[in-house]
Amino acid sequence: MTQSHCTPASPITQIDRARAGIVTSEMEIVAAKEGRDPEFVREGVAAGRIAIPANIRHASLSPEGIGGGLRTKVNVNLGISGDVADEVEEWKKVAVALELGAEAIMDLSNSGKTQGFRTRLVEKAPAMIGTVPMYDAIGHLNMPLVDIKPQDFLAVVRAHAEDGVDFVTIHAGMNRRTIETFRETGRLTNIVSRGGSLLFAWMEATGNENPFFEYYDQVLDILHEYDVTISIGDAMRPGSTFDASDAGQIAELIEIGKLTQRAWDAGVQVMVEGPGHMALDEIAANMKLEKRLCHDAPFYVLGPLVTDIAPGYDHITAAIGGAVAAASGADFLCYVTPAEHLRLPDVDDVREGLVATKIAAHAADIAKGVPGARDIDNRMSDARRRVAWEEMFDLAIDPVRPRRYFESAPPSTDGTCTMCGEMCAMRTVSNIMDGLTVDLGKE
């Protein structure tokens, strides 16, 4: 598809400079991490197929690329809530996220004055940092939702950009047209997006258009100034498999496609957010639809959760959907924890959710042939053949659990585990191949 670009006079952002033929230091770092030529990355950024969220004020950032031909990235959500306002606990979650290699952390704090935690997170974390300014509006502005004016919302966006966050979720696609479709067709679970529900309530109370849609050009001006990537939020994402792929979701996606092009024309990088809850057989088609309607912009999905009846295990339902989504074209997976739909996740939940999502992302990368994705699996298989336990632990996505499991039940035969003991297939065949004596079946 031919696209026209109106690059701003001042080439500040990654996409500005990519279009000007410049390979930035961030593009070089991404290329090295991905085993790609820097020109491949530059061309992807210039076309909008790849985003490198990198606020000019995030000095501690280790840049990552999100998009076509690159590894599937994983995001961890955390943040301070009104009921569990424990900043110490949130820093423990940050530590786990960084330990396990999450490429992004979204600070979804929604209680009180959140700037302190956010700025310290940007200062300390090498991961990409994302936020949802809408969550912060009430606390930041210290006024009731109905009294907030459009320019007040924009002021919160600017505050987050100035603090150094690399991407922001902006629910700009839920405009009057989208809501009309939602009202006409109805839903089982209505609007489940927290930011979307707040905007819907504000629009209904004031009678005004979505301020992020009405003043979208001003939002883009702010983001361009700091090279903040816009992650266009899906306020109409399905909150149940019943609502998946319905008119409200697709109507919003059509609007998001238009907003994607406008952001690129303003020199702002784009990611598009997606579902949500969705039956397994609908996922691949939805990934293709997003890529078509949103001009191959990177797709950032929550799950999708493939069934609605697994509370306490939704990290599994999301990992199943996430693997299918990423193998079908999604570029970025937001983790889901076992606490989803139940409570604020604790540190253990964060670990469980992140590991499950990283498994999904890696499985998808193997399926879609991302260069080098299978290498670590081959190294693990070689270590298993040699029964090299320490190597296996080091290569594992989560090194902690496999070591704990192995050490909890010491085998009586060296070089084995308690599953097979002296009948270990790896040990037996390796010994034969190495010309060693095999002694089995002794009493």
Side-chain angles (χ1 to χ4, degrees), residues 60 71 198 253 368 424:
S60 64
R71 290 179 299 107
L198 291 171
L253 190 61
K368 56 189 177 185
C424 172

Side-chain angles (χ1 to χ4, degrees), residues 33 44 110 146 163 184 251 254 296 335 338 402 406:
K33 287 182 177 182
N110 58 23
V146 70
D163 287 341
E184 288 176 348
I254 292 169
D296 281 331
Y335 89 153
F406 177 76

Side-chain angles (χ1 to χ4, degrees), residues 11-339:
I12 294 171
T13 66
Q14 295 292 323
I15 194 170
D16 288 344
R17 287 179 281 178
R19 289 175 185 160
I22 299 169
V23 175
T24 65
S25 60
E26 290 83 2
M27 295 174 203
E28 290 178 343
I29 292 170
V30 168
K33 287 182 177 182
E34 301 283 345
R36 291 287 194 177
D37 187 277
E39 184 61 18
F40 173 88
V41 177
R42 186 202 67 78
E43 288 178 355
V45 173
R49 293 190 305 272
I50 293 173
I52 304 178
N55 189 311
I56 59 176
R57 292 192 172 183
H58 190 175
S60 64
L61 177 69
S62 178
E64 297 284 354
I66 300 168
L70 307 181
R71 290 179 299 107
T72 305
K73 306 307 186 296
V74 172
N75 171 71
V76 163
N77 289 339
L78 46 79
I80 298 164
S81 77
D83 288 329
V84 188
D86 187 345
E87 186 170 325
V88 172
E89 183 76 0
E90 297 312 303
W91 281 112
K92 292 178 182 177
K93 297 176 189 178
V94 171
V96 168
L98 297 178
E99 170 200 338
L100 291 174
E103 289 88 2
I105 297 173
M106 288 200 77
D107 173 18
L108 304 187
S109 297
N110 58 23
S111 177
K113 297 300 181 182
T114 62
Q115 185 181 31
F117 179 75
R118 180 170 62 251
T119 54
R120 285 189 292 275
L121 187 60
V122 169
E123 178 184 349
K124 295 180 179 181
M128 299 176 285
I129 304 301
T131 60
V132 186
M134 186 66 202
Y135 292 178
D136 193 29
I138 296 173
H140 178 87
L141 298 167
N142 195 27
M143 64 176 69
L145 178 65
V146 70
D147 292 337
I148 299 175
K149 301 294 187 289
Q151 292 305 314
D152 297 326
F153 286 119
L154 299 188
V156 180
V157 174
R158 176 171 289 281
H160 284 226
E162 290 176 346
D163 287 341
V165 303
D166 303 296
F167 64 99
V168 289
T169 295
I170 302 291
H171 297 92
M174 187 185 68
N175 55 24
R176 285 290 174 192
R177 288 189 294 269
T178 305
I179 289 176
E180 182 180 359
T181 299
F182 161 62
R183 287 191 177 282
E184 288 176 348
T185 57
R187 272 189 160 185
L188 179 61
T189 46
N190 291 320
I191 297 173
V192 300
S193 160
R194 181 163 53 184
S197 67
L198 291 171
L199 276 171
F200 176 76
W202 184 88
M203 293 167 70
E204 292 296 297
T206 64
N208 295 330
E209 178 60 277
N210 177 349
F212 296 116
F213 177 78
E214 185 173 3
Y215 298 94
Y216 189 62
D217 290 337
Q218 291 184 38
V219 172
L220 296 178
D221 287 343
I222 295 168
L223 302 186
H224 183 266
E225 185 177 348
Y226 298 90
D227 196 2
V228 178
T229 297
I230 186 169
S231 188
I232 307 180
D234 54 334
M236 297 300 298
R237 71 173 180 267
S240 60
T241 55
F242 183 88
D243 292 336
S245 308
D246 72 348
Q249 177 196 334
I250 305 305
E252 182 184 43
L253 190 61
I254 292 169
E255 298 294 334
I256 289 174
K258 301 172 187 176
L259 296 172
T260 295
Q261 187 63 63
R262 287 173 60 186
W264 285 339
D265 288 346
V268 174
Q269 298 183 98
V270 178
M271 298 187 294
V272 174
E273 297 187 13
H277 292 237
M278 184 164 287
L280 205 59
D281 63 326
E282 296 180 59
I283 295 173
N286 269 265
M287 301 307 106
K288 289 180 172 58
L289 187 63
E290 182 276 343
K291 292 290 184 177
R292 176 67 180 85
L293 292 177
C294 300
H295 323 296
D296 281 331
F299 202 18
Y300 175 25
V301 299
L302 177 67
L305 282 70
V306 296
T307 181
D308 303 322
I309 60 169
Y313 299 91
D314 275 331
H315 59 310
I316 298 174
T317 65
I320 294 168
V324 175
S328 303
D331 307 289
F332 193 16
L333 300 181
C334 185
Y335 89 153
V336 173
T337 78

